[in-house]
Amino acid sequence: MRLPTTSGAKARVPVVPLASIVLLLAMFLFLAGNVQERDRTRTELPASAGRAEAATGAGCIVIAKGAGETVTYRFSDGEEATRPMGGPTDIYLAVRQVLSSNPSKPFVIKADAGVRYSYVDDVLERLRRAGVRELVLLTRRRLTGSAP
Amino acid sequence: MKIGASRVPRAAIPLAPMASVALLGVLFITMAGFFQADRGLLIRFQGDETTADPSWPEDAIRAEILPDSSIVVDGKHVPLDRLLNVVEPNLSRDPDRVVMLYANDDAPYGAVVAVVDLLSRPDAGRGVRVRRLWIPTHREMAEHDRLFGRDPFEPRPAGR
């Protein structure tokens, strides 16, 4: 007796849907990186438990540790990526220019936890004088009870 | 002879895969928003020198952060974990009392953020919270010094 051969379905890995999902992921990551990340400066942010969300499109001022005791400054108007700044006076002028077209523009400060406070204070003073009304000191999340 | 009706597949938009992809998209956006949103301590300026309130809170609770990150409140050293215990009795008598924070030039920025975070969190204390936290810039302090002839963080004369 001859039994008929079974024509079972071939086992296959569905490559096409996988490729679609990978493509979607890649597109999403690319867009998210471009849209949300205005600054890629590596900084060790201070920790805080209370964290308010910064407004979308806020201007960004970066104070990062440089060589030795120095710091480097960067600035973004919230629309473009950050660019280097010479010091607080340059930041003041740039902020004034931004506020002339949008007086209620919010700002964020992204500063290294280890920098001397005088550097941050200097920038805060310039922002105050420029007419900034609201800003967020960027932090990383700290669990309640852990050391700062 | 009976001819069977041909089985024409019904035209349909495949909704199930579309819903799956939409769900994935929503998940990605939600997670990205959670991880990438800029967050931190919110600071509001009173205004520039032309609009700011020129009055200086003479009865403010004065907290100072020293270069070694230690904290001095009204002239006494206080560890960070006991800061609220020291501040709260004063605020329970007058909840609107200003807490004025001054950080030394050489204090690490991270230490300042830790103190601001502790004082500005509504759930940090045991019921009494700091409603008015003021962090004058060093320039503001110098202007006060020039106008009134004394440092507001110097101990006040007896009887005041």
Side-chain angles (χ1 to χ4, degrees):
Chain A
M1 191 174 79
R2 190 174 176 187
L3 292 174
T5 54
T6 56
S7 56
K10 282 184 178 175
R12 278 185 190 174
V13 178
V15 178
V16 176
L18 273 174
S20 305
I21 288 175
V22 169
L23 181 68
L24 267 176
L25 261 175
M27 279 176 65
F28 168 74
L29 290 175
F30 176 75
L31 283 171
N34 275 292
V35 172
Q36 294 208 15
E37 200 168 355
R38 304 269 175 242
D39 179 70
R40 289 174 182 269
T41 314
R42 292 189 67 173
T43 49
E44 182 66 32
L45 290 177
S48 74
R51 296 170 80 223
E53 193 170 324
T56 309
C60 179
I61 294 138
V62 182
I63 309 171
K65 269 187 167 177
E69 286 292 308
T70 61
V71 294
T72 57
Y73 299 95
R74 297 181 72 85
F75 173 82
S76 163
D77 59 2
E79 308 296 326
E80 296 173 355
T82 56
R83 59 181 193 274
M85 285 277 151
T89 305
D90 292 341
I91 291 172
Y92 169 79
L93 294 172
V95 169
R96 287 284 294 219
Q97 195 173 6
V98 171
L99 291 178
S100 65
S101 57
N102 182 3
S104 58
K105 181 90 171 178
F107 283 84
V108 300
I109 289 185
K110 179 182 175 184
D112 253 312
V115 298
R116 292 172 62 218
Y117 181 69
S118 62
Y119 293 117
V120 181
D121 179 79
D122 205 359
V123 170
L124 287 175
E125 173 62 21
R126 307 298 169 118
L127 295 182
R128 185 181 74 87
R129 285 183 173 268
V132 172
R133 295 172 192 169
E134 190 177 294
L135 88 147
V136 169
L137 305 176
L138 294 189
T139 60
R140 62 186 161 85
R141 194 156 72 101
R142 178 169 67 84
L143 297 174
T144 311
S146 63
Chain B
M1 192 174 80
K2 192 174 181 183
I3 299 172
S6 62
R7 300 184 68 188
V8 178
R10 292 171 64 187
I13 298 171
L15 288 180
M18 282 174 70
S20 304
V21 170
L23 182 67
L24 271 176
V26 170
L27 271 171
F28 291 155
I29 290 168
T30 308
M31 289 182 73
F34 182 76
F35 286 113
Q36 292 203 17
D38 290 334
R39 289 173 180 271
L41 300 177
L42 181 65
I43 305 278
R44 287 197 177 90
F45 288 106
Q46 288 187 326
D48 59 20
E49 60 265 43
T50 57
T51 58
D53 180 4
S55 62
W56 195 272
E58 288 296 326
D59 66 337
I61 301 165
R62 292 158 166 79
E64 185 172 2
I65 303 170
L66 302 182
D68 62 356
S69 305
S70 59
I71 305 160
V72 175
V73 178
D74 288 338
K76 292 176 187 164
H77 279 269
V78 177
L80 181 63
D81 57 355
R82 285 197 36 82
L83 180 60
L84 286 173
N85 295 352
V86 173
V87 170
E88 277 180 347
N90 294 307
L91 290 178
S92 60
R93 288 192 291 274
D94 179 6
D96 285 327
R97 203 168 165 192
V98 175
V99 176
M100 192 159 64
L101 182 65
Y102 173 83
N104 188 284
D105 269 343
D106 295 325
Y109 169 62
V112 180
V113 166
V115 174
V116 174
D117 177 39
L118 187 65
L119 292 177
S120 59
R121 258 163 41 209
D123 58 338
R126 292 166 303 190
V128 180
R129 60 171 292 199
V130 178
R131 291 184 189 173
R132 299 171 69 196
L133 174 64
W134 188 28
I135 313 165
T137 63
H138 293 182
R139 182 67 176 265
E140 284 179 289
M141 299 284 288
E143 280 169 4
H144 174 271
D145 211 11
R146 183 173 56 80
L147 284 173
F148 299 100
R150 69 178 180 82
D151 180 351
F153 276 79
E154 286 294 314
R156 281 166 288 183
R160 287 198 60 184

